[in-house]
Amino acid sequence: MLALVLLVALAIVAIRGIHFGIEFEGGTRIPITLERPAADSEEMASIIDIIKTRATKFGLTQVVVRGVGASEIYVEVPQSDQALVEEIEEILREVGRFEGIVDGRVAISGDEILRNSITSHVTDRGWTVSFTVTSAGAKKFGQVVYGKGNYPLYMFLDRPEDAVVIASRDELFGESAILEEESIAAIEDALVKGDSELWLILLDDWGAAKAELSAYEITNKSKAIVSGAVDEEMRAELEEMGFIVVRKDEEKMRARFTTNSETGETMVTSWEAVGLLSAPLLNPSITQGGTPGLQYQITGAAQGATAQERRENAEKETKMLKSVLSGGELPTDIILGSVTTIPAPLGAEFLRYSIIGAVGALVAIALLIIIRYREPRLAVPVMAVSAIEITILVSIIGGLGTIDLSAMAGIIAAVGVSVDAQIVMSDELLKKGKLAVASEGEAGAKMKLDRAFYIVMMNAVLVTVAMVPLLFSGLIEIMGFATAHILGALLGVFISRPAYGAFVESIFLEK
């Protein structure tokens, strides 16, 4: 059985490899604080699952996401590439609230999207993300868009709530040839959503803008979305008014427009500052009370000076959008903390010390066994069983999960418990003064081993009971330790202790 489990463990390593935490490989840790603590362990697990799904869909298979208590999450990446870290922060920063709005009413919501239906298509001119909605979502869509043929369907991701957008004409329009008056009307039309209309404040004159802002009903969550180039004096005044100032890159403040091919009116097609992704026109055939389709698309133009730059931009946009839509909406806003980077050389040093510690422990144990029992042959099974246990634990934990510093400590501690059990078994059979006479034979050995196994079993039960609260404590620093300890105890009781018992019994019978 021990050999079989060892082969299975090695097969796991061959297929999946061994994943070490950033303490050993080096990498980056991004701490996340939930704006509102998770209501229970189920909600925390849901938030962790959303973040994991986003990371996986983005192509980051080695990202580790762990909860810490009820209000913090660690996202760990075994790399320190600055560009990659920025991309991860971007997909984490999104709440993931998708809305399709027609004439101020929500026609599609993110919770109506089938997560596994999201696909994408990229060219050097633009990108498309397609998805399928539920039948209930399609029915709601048909009711909202009834009679709205050729209306734009404004598709938003994380449309701000309780916010004002403050921008200059240059920031909004750039060198657009579309008339400003019509463009402003188009923006204001796109910002309507029931009772939560976003305000647009043109920054022609700061004094006039402040007078206009005085009419806004400010709450403790009101946001002022401004360009990153805004001066510090203006930012300070907005904060004094009670706004939370949100800076956006100048490129994101630029709205993009087109002309409605059917009505000739100006319409805004995308605006990153408020999360507007695209605005396709509704085909009149689906707005006349018929059954709308289940398939929808979000489109966008690729940005860049060359074909390669445009394709790379389009691929990045689709990866980000697919990851966020696939994960779904977070139940609360999140705050990203300061990124912690562990250099790879330091991580390798941690791993080296851990290996030295494990090997040193085994050698010390072997010497003590030889001195204690005056039986050099015992050192071989003790060393062999302990080495196999380490191999199995490292393979299972590292292949199916991640070995961090606490897990490595747990593995070494589990081996210590294993050796303790082996000493108990050896003592029962071989300790001076208790060596069975020939008449006891195999029956005597079985009796003594039964007594030893009772002690070993009780120790394993106590270890498991002691570790279970730590396993579910939510404290990231000790969960790996508890996991390794429990797995080691179960492996020992059911497989490795009986295997060692067979070794020591053969020596007993020989004597």
Side-chain angles (χ1 to χ4, degrees):
M1 284 298 296
L2 188 61
L4 179 62
V5 173
L6 178 61
L7 288 175
V8 171
L10 293 176
I12 291 173
V13 173
I15 295 170
R16 298 179 58 89
I18 298 179
H19 306 140
F20 288 99
I22 63 173
E23 296 95 338
F24 297 121
E25 288 191 343
T28 302
R29 173 178 289 161
I30 306 172
I32 296 174
T33 301
L34 306 182
E35 191 174 80
R36 172 185 59 78
D40 48 36
S41 58
E42 186 176 337
E43 185 177 47
M44 175 59 85
S46 173
I47 294 171
I48 291 173
D49 187 56
I50 289 171
I51 295 174
K52 283 182 178 178
T53 302
R54 289 186 184 183
T56 301
K57 292 295 182 180
F58 196 75
L60 304 170
T61 56
Q62 294 301 313
V63 170
V64 176
V65 185
R66 296 187 250 190
V68 185
S71 59
E72 281 194 276
I73 294 173
Y74 285 168
V75 178
E76 297 177 349
V77 190
Q79 299 180 45
S80 299
D81 181 74
Q82 184 60 34
L84 177 63
V85 172
E86 290 176 358
E87 288 181 343
I88 295 171
E89 287 183 310
E90 187 173 350
I91 66 171
L92 293 178
R93 202 172 280 115
E94 306 287 353
V95 174
R97 184 178 57 256
F98 175 77
E99 296 169 308
I101 300 174
V102 178
D103 197 24
R105 295 177 62 193
V106 177
I108 306 175
S109 299
D111 56 3
E112 294 159 353
I113 295 176
L114 297 176
R115 305 296 173 206
N116 294 326
S117 70
I118 302 170
T119 59
S120 62
H121 178 68
V122 169
T123 69
D124 58 9
R125 293 187 176 183
W127 52 267
T128 301
V129 173
S130 305
F131 57 86
T132 303
V133 299
T134 62
S135 56
K139 182 179 179 181
K140 185 186 83 171
F141 180 81
Q143 294 171 346
V144 173
V145 304
Y146 181 74
K148 306 291 184 183
N150 295 316
Y151 274 58
L153 170 61
Y154 296 114
M155 294 189 177
F156 288 91
L157 183 64
D158 289 343
R159 176 186 180 276
E161 302 290 337
D162 188 11
V164 296
V165 183
I166 305 172
S168 67
R169 295 176 188 273
D170 286 342
E171 290 170 341
L172 277 179
F173 310 123
E175 299 177 358
S176 174
I178 297 176
L179 295 176
E180 288 186 7
E181 186 177 340
E182 295 179 0
S183 301
I184 292 171
I187 289 177
E188 291 176 343
D189 178 69
L191 297 183
V192 175
K193 180 192 134 180
D195 297 329
S196 62
E197 179 181 354
L198 295 173
W199 281 30
L200 171 63
I201 306 293
L202 287 175
L203 198 56
D204 295 323
D205 176 78
W206 178 228
K210 285 195 294 184
E212 195 172 349
L213 286 169
S214 65
Y216 190 86
E217 187 175 337
I218 300 174
T219 69
N220 60 352
K221 292 187 177 181
S222 297
K223 299 180 181 66
I225 300 171
V226 300
S227 165
V230 71
D231 61 65
E232 289 300 312
E233 182 179 348
M234 186 186 300
R235 181 194 60 78
E237 289 190 57
L238 286 168
E239 289 179 345
E240 285 179 8
M241 293 179 195
F243 285 104
I244 300 170
V245 178
V246 179
R247 294 173 180 263
K248 299 285 184 178
D249 295 339
E250 289 189 62
E251 182 61 28
K252 292 184 178 181
M253 295 296 289
R254 179 74 42 81
R256 290 174 171 79
F257 304 88
T258 190
T259 301
N260 188 318
S261 58
E262 298 297 327
T263 65
E265 296 177 348
T266 299
M267 54 177 282
V268 59
T269 56
S270 64
W271 191 13
E272 286 189 71
V274 295
L276 178 59
L277 303 172
S278 65
L281 295 178
L282 293 171
N283 191 313
S285 63
I286 65 171
T287 63
Q288 303 304 320
T291 303
L294 301 177
Q295 191 78 17
Y296 297 87
Q297 291 184 340
I298 305 171
T299 60
Q303 308 297 318
T306 66
Q308 182 177 350
E309 287 180 358
R310 289 193 294 271
R311 176 173 283 276
E312 289 175 354
N313 171 263
E315 289 176 349
K316 178 182 175 182
E317 290 290 336
T318 55
K319 281 174 63 178
M320 188 279 290
L321 188 54
K322 282 175 64 179
S323 71
V324 175
L325 290 179
S326 298
E329 181 181 351
L330 291 168
T332 179
D333 289 343
I334 62 176
I335 302 168
L336 297 185
S338 300
V339 174
T340 302
T341 300
I342 297 179
L346 182 59
E349 193 78 356
F350 283 152
L351 182 58
R352 187 168 68 87
Y353 285 147
S354 296
I355 294 173
I356 291 173
V359 172
L362 288 179
V363 171
I365 289 165
L367 291 174
L368 289 172
I369 291 290
I370 293 172
I371 295 170
R372 174 73 178 86
Y373 298 107
R374 312 291 182 183
E375 183 60 67
R377 287 180 298 172
L378 266 185
V380 176
V382 169
M383 293 278 285
V385 170
S386 299
I388 291 172
E389 280 194 349
I390 290 177
T391 303
I392 292 173
L393 290 175
V394 168
S395 300
I396 293 176
I397 297 174
L400 302 180
T402 301
I403 299 177
D404 57 13
L405 202 56
S406 67
M408 183 62 79
I411 290 171
I412 295 174
V415 173
V417 173
S418 170
V419 172
D420 175 62
Q422 292 174 61
I423 290 175
V424 169
M425 296 165 66
S426 302
D427 260 14
E428 285 295 320
L429 288 171
L430 304 175
K431 193 166 66 174
K432 185 179 179 181
K434 290 190 177 180
L435 185 62
V437 295
S439 60
E440 287 183 300
E442 189 171 349
K446 294 295 184 186
M447 181 183 68
K448 289 175 178 292
L449 279 178
D450 285 345
R451 186 162 56 238
F453 266 111
Y454 175 78
I455 298 171
V456 169
M457 179 68 76
M458 289 300 100
N459 282 344
V461 170
L462 289 173
V463 166
T464 302
V465 170
M467 291 295 121
V468 166
L470 302 183
L471 184 64
F472 296 99
S473 67
L475 298 176
I476 189 172
E477 292 81 3
I478 59 177
M479 288 173 62
F481 180 85
T483 301
H485 228 329
I486 291 173
L487 286 177
L490 296 177
L491 173 66
V493 166
F494 294 109
I495 301 175
S496 65
R497 312 291 192 268
Y500 177 77
F503 280 118
V504 75
E505 183 182 4
S506 67
I507 295 175
F508 170 83
L509 293 175
E510 182 181 322
K511 284 179 174 290

